[in-house]
Amino acid sequence: ITLSPKAIAIAVAVLFVGITATKYFTRWLERRVLSETHLDKGVQNSLRAVTGYTGYSLAAAFALTAAGLDFSSLALVFGALGVGIGLGLQSVTNNFVSGLILLAERPIRVGDWVVTNAGEGIVKKINVRSTEIETFDNCSIIVPNSNLINNAVSNWTHRDSVGRFFVSITFNHK
């Protein structure tokens, strides 16, 4: 690979244009398209996240191509490197895939009242790697997505927004 200042400048420019275009497109998608639909907020967040990740990945690929990187000659190297990284980052990969499953399958959504091994609270944000749950004590619990896929999760508001709770009252008889 031969890199020149011109090739690096073109790659940086392509990356900047790609990132800017992705930001504008996701903002337009959110304001003009998603806000007009009657889709659930969780679906809107999922579409916005997938659009952003796709745009950033394409911008990086185009920037590397503009820099003169030939992907066909590096396929074998990236394959071997991918296996090594995959084994080394198995937990991260597991959480990433679990996050994609959560975003697509939607067993839990933003705003749901859930009970997990880590605690109980309202789902505030579902990221690709982890999910943020805010407890009723105003404490944030960051749960790896693989825990939400592999372990039992009680979702009090999965079917509808009505939930209930019990308050134990004891009486002293003297």
Side-chain angles (χ1 to χ4, degrees):
I1 299 172
T2 304
L3 290 177
S4 66
K6 180 181 176 183
I8 293 173
I10 291 172
V12 169
V14 168
L15 183 64
F16 177 75
V17 168
I19 289 173
T20 304
T22 299
K23 286 182 181 180
Y24 279 120
F25 182 76
T26 53
R27 199 172 298 142
W28 172 82
L29 182 70
E30 181 180 3
R31 291 182 181 161
R32 297 291 177 133
V33 177
L34 296 177
S35 65
E36 299 297 323
T37 64
H38 298 289
L39 293 174
D40 183 45
K41 291 288 184 191
V43 174
Q44 291 181 12
N45 288 338
S46 299
L47 289 172
R48 188 174 38 253
V50 168
T51 302
Y53 291 131
T54 303
Y56 295 139
S57 299
L58 287 173
F62 286 139
L64 290 173
T65 302
L69 186 65
D70 184 16
F71 285 111
S72 62
S73 64
L74 295 176
L76 184 63
V77 174
F78 280 135
L81 190 61
V83 170
I85 290 173
L87 292 174
L89 299 175
Q90 190 173 8
S91 172
V92 173
T93 305
N94 185 14
N95 286 322
F96 179 77
V97 171
S98 297
L100 294 178
I101 291 170
L102 284 176
L103 290 172
E105 199 174 275
R106 303 186 57 240
I108 63 170
R109 294 175 273 229
V110 173
D112 281 355
W113 174 5
V114 297
V115 180
T116 68
N117 293 342
E120 174 179 358
I122 304 296
V123 176
K124 290 297 179 183
K125 191 172 186 183
I126 300 174
N127 296 314
V128 176
R129 193 195 65 76
S130 63
T131 296
E132 181 183 342
I133 299 171
E134 186 176 302
T135 66
F136 299 114
D137 296 329
N138 204 24
C139 174
S140 292
I141 302 172
I142 309 300
V143 181
N145 287 333
S146 61
N147 290 0
L148 298 174
I149 295 293
N150 296 327
N151 299 328
V153 176
S154 297
N155 189 341
W156 286 89
T157 53
H158 182 64
R159 301 258 182 249
D160 58 26
S161 61
V162 177
R164 66 179 183 174
F165 58 92
F166 296 97
V167 177
S168 298
I169 300 174
T170 58
F171 294 101
N172 278 334
H173 296 95
K174 291 184 179 185

